[in-house]
């Protein structure tokens, strides 16, 4: 389990890389397609689909990451029962876009979004291969 505290200032993103909350059915379809490709087809963490009850919850925030105008990444976040505690998960970036630091921007956007919604701390289950990535972003 990794955690991070919420920053007091906003980090600036490169102009070509940006994140936003999924706006419509198309955004959600691409969000889920990216997760499916990464977690089901490439990593084989899930056998058929990575969706669960959190995907249908009203409190779940679905985020897309863009390189230019192309949606190339996704993450979701949601509040946990403990006041001010949020969880981020299903962070996925299309392989050909990983050199653009989109994953880092998705993580920063998720933390900032949770903070704007009353969060004080965020937790995430991370794969061992990604520990260094999160540590470089200030997670412990």
């Amino acid at each position: 389990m990794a955690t991070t505290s919420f920053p007091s200032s906003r980090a600036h993103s490169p102009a070509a890389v940006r994140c936003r909350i999924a706006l419509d059915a198309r955004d959600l379809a691409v969000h889920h397609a990216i997760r499916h490709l990464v977690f089901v087809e490439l990593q084989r963490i899930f056998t058929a689909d990575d969706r669960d009850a959190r995907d249908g919850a009203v409190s779940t925030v679905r985020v897309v990451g863009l390189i230019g105008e192309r949606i190339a990444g996704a993450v979701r976040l949601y509040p946990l029962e403990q006041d001010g505690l949020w969880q981020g998960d299903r962070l996925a970036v299309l392989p050909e876009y990983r050199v653009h630091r989109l994953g880092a921007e998705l993580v920063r956007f998720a933390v900032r979004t949770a903070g704007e919604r009353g969060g004080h701390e965020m937790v995430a289950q991370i794969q061992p291969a990604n520990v260094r990535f999160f540590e470089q972003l200030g997670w412990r």
Side-chain angles (χ1 to χ4, degrees):
M1 177 79 60
T3 66
T4 192
S5 298
F6 293 95
S8 58
S9 63
R10 294 180 175 219
H12 295 287
S13 307
V17 177
R18 63 189 170 89
C19 302
R20 63 175 163 76
I21 295 171
L23 300 174
D24 54 27
R26 179 192 171 278
D27 282 0
L28 286 175
V30 177
H31 171 96
H32 288 295
I34 290 170
R35 286 175 32 188
H36 184 85
L37 175 70
V38 171
F39 298 120
V40 177
E41 296 178 30
L42 297 176
Q43 296 182 356
R44 301 182 191 275
I45 293 172
F46 301 97
T47 56
D49 195 0
D50 77 306
R51 295 184 202 197
D52 61 20
R54 289 285 181 189
D55 286 301
V58 175
S59 60
T60 298
V61 180
R62 293 149 205 89
V63 176
V64 293
L66 297 94
I67 302 292
E69 296 304 312
R70 169 95 194 261
I71 297 175
V75 68
R76 71 177 185 183
L77 58 142
Y78 44 88
L80 297 175
E81 291 183 21
Q82 182 180 336
D83 191 39
L85 185 63
W86 281 67
Q87 178 152 345
D89 64 19
R90 301 299 201 272
L91 173 65
V93 176
L94 295 173
E96 63 269 29
Y97 292 98
R98 291 180 183 161
V99 298
H100 297 278
R101 306 268 312 142
L102 181 56
E105 289 304 313
L106 282 161
V107 171
R108 288 184 191 108
F109 185 89
V111 170
R112 196 167 46 248
T113 300
E116 291 167 354
R117 294 170 183 230
H120 303 292
E121 185 174 27
M122 181 171 272
V123 297
Q125 295 280 339
I126 60 172
Q127 298 172 13
N130 295 326
V131 169
R132 184 164 161 73
F133 167 78
F134 277 88
E135 287 174 343
Q136 290 173 334
L137 293 174
W139 289 60
R140 59 184 191 286

